[in-house]
Amino acid sequence: MTSLTERRLAQLPADTRPLPPIAAYDRLLIARQVADRPAAKGEMP
């Protein structure tokens, strides 16, 4: 037996949209990692 959801999904066309760029999110993660690390001796906090 096939579920209603499976039947509905089978009728949808393939999604051909390009993946969204995630470089901005990568930069945010790197900035947070830098902000979370303790300051080195002689470095401004």
Side-chain angles (χ1 to χ4, degrees):
M1 180 190 285
T2 305
S3 74
L4 180 58
T5 301
E6 288 175 325
R7 283 192 284 163
R8 286 179 177 165
L9 290 174
Q11 295 175 3
L12 293 175
D15 187 1
T16 59
R17 296 176 295 178
L19 292 175
I22 58 170
Y25 298 106
D26 289 340
R27 286 193 297 271
L28 288 172
L29 289 173
I30 291 169
R32 181 176 176 150
Q33 289 172 357
V34 170
D36 288 346
R37 72 172 172 80
K41 188 175 184 178
E43 186 179 47
M44 296 283 296

